[in-house]
Amino acid sequence: MSASINSGPQVAVVTGASRGAGKGIALALGQSGATVYVTGRSRRSSDSPYGGTVAETAALIDEAGGKSVAVAVDHADDEAVAELFARVERDHGRLDILVNNAAQVLNAPPPGRFWEQPLEAADLITVGLRSHYVASFHAAPLLIANGRGLIVNTGHYGAVAYHLGPAYGAQKAGADKMAADMAKDLRPHNVAAVSIWMGGLDTERARAHFATLPAEARPTNRRESTQFTGRVISALYTADDLMQLSGRALIGAELGAHLGITDIDGSTPLSLRYALGGPPELHPSLS
């Protein structure tokens, strides 16, 4: 049984949705009936070696029967982010869901230890962590005005396991703790904040990387679709236990199983908890 929510279509903002996880999450939310504001820097497919634009994602949502609003936003630009949420307020006066996914990740970084990498790797902490804070800052009043809301930071096992180096680890661990602290502040207003850890995703970036590997070195395990996390978010928002789960870092595969959500091909993604670790327990002060 679903909890009572604001009548009418849900309104969602998904940042970093030109491609990859953000694109799939935005599409899944649109397919669920939400009006989705799709943000990202890419205006032309050539803006990234992996293709994709905010307009292309928006078109897919519309083709699937949803409603989209494509907004080109550089999430390093605080004024542009403020204007994004001012637009949402003008259009709807409220917000149901914010998904913080924008991240400035190096394209095909050279191998090496962190001091051998380009210093720009640390930009992930600006667009990927600080940007989550800025978007949430502007979204919070709209979520509160709605009477029910959800902030999701897209997360990964790299918060507790070594994956792609210290900048990536700091961003993921920081996003988890940020969600926990925001949940504490938002709880009296019936607004939840969580981090959802995604598994290995079938993204444009992943496909491009695997194509460079010898056939025998390419992984053969099933990867999560980028839409799976969006399906989970849609179900979580209407779940009776939304506020009980608020503040936690949640493994998407486990949360999907809890909510009865499968991937787009009907498969059930597997948790990697026992291979890569699980979210740490929160201090009682965060309850």
Side-chain angles (χ1 to χ4, degrees):
M1 178 179 174
S2 296
S4 175
I5 60 174
N6 196 303
S7 61
Q10 294 165 16
V11 180
V13 172
V14 182
T15 75
S18 299
R19 66 193 65 84
K23 177 180 178 179
I25 291 168
L27 178 57
L29 290 174
Q31 289 171 329
S32 75
T35 296
V36 185
Y37 286 75
V38 178
T39 83
R41 291 184 298 168
S42 297
R43 299 172 184 267
R44 301 176 299 274
S45 292
S46 58
D47 288 343
S48 167
Y50 309 109
T53 68
V54 290
E56 290 172 10
T57 299
L60 288 174
I61 293 170
D62 294 341
E63 289 169 11
K67 183 177 180 182
S68 67
V69 182
V71 188
V73 176
D74 180 351
H75 281 272
D77 183 342
D78 291 354
E79 291 185 4
V81 176
E83 174 52 32
L84 164 68
F85 288 96
R87 178 175 178 178
V88 176
E89 182 173 22
R90 290 192 300 269
D91 292 349
H92 301 281
R94 63 181 181 88
L95 180 66
D96 292 88
I97 300 169
L98 167 65
V99 180
N100 286 315
N101 179 70
Q104 192 161 330
V105 180
L106 288 176
N107 290 325
R113 294 158 292 189
F114 76 89
W115 62 90
E116 299 166 328
Q117 297 279 336
L119 189 56
E120 288 75 20
D123 291 345
L124 177 58
I125 299 172
T126 302
V127 179
L129 188 57
R130 185 183 185 277
S131 59
H132 289 8
Y133 188 98
V134 174
S136 300
F137 173 89
H138 291 292
L142 297 174
L143 295 161
I144 292 169
N146 191 50
R148 179 181 179 90
L150 172 62
I151 296 173
V152 175
N153 294 341
T154 54
H156 188 265
Y157 300 87
V160 296
Y162 188 89
H163 186 75
L164 300 179
Y168 186 89
Q171 186 262 332
K172 292 305 180 189
D176 288 355
K177 184 57 165 59
M178 185 182 293
D181 287 344
M182 287 182 175
K184 171 84 172 181
D185 289 348
L186 290 166
R187 189 174 297 278
H189 304 284
N190 200 37
V191 176
V194 301
S195 179
I196 296 181
W197 290 12
M198 301 178 290
L201 299 181
D202 182 23
T203 63
E204 301 89 344
R205 182 187 293 268
R207 289 184 216 132
H209 171 65
F210 296 149
T212 68
L213 301 176
E216 64 274 12
R218 295 173 189 170
T220 58
N221 56 306
R222 178 186 285 117
R223 299 180 72 80
E224 289 180 17
S225 77
T226 55
Q227 291 103 302
F228 174 68
T229 301
R231 289 181 161 204
V232 170
I233 292 169
S234 180
L236 174 62
Y237 181 67
T238 60
D240 288 334
D241 56 354
L242 171 64
M243 295 309 299
Q244 284 71 39
L245 295 170
S246 185
R248 295 172 58 181
L250 301 160
I251 294 174
E254 296 177 4
L255 181 58
H258 170 68
L259 296 171
I261 301 302
T262 59
D263 210 336
I264 57 174
D265 62 356
S267 65
T268 301
L270 299 176
S271 170
L272 302 178
R273 174 185 293 272
Y274 296 106
L276 297 176
E281 290 296 318
L282 297 176
H283 188 268
S285 64
L286 287 165
S287 62

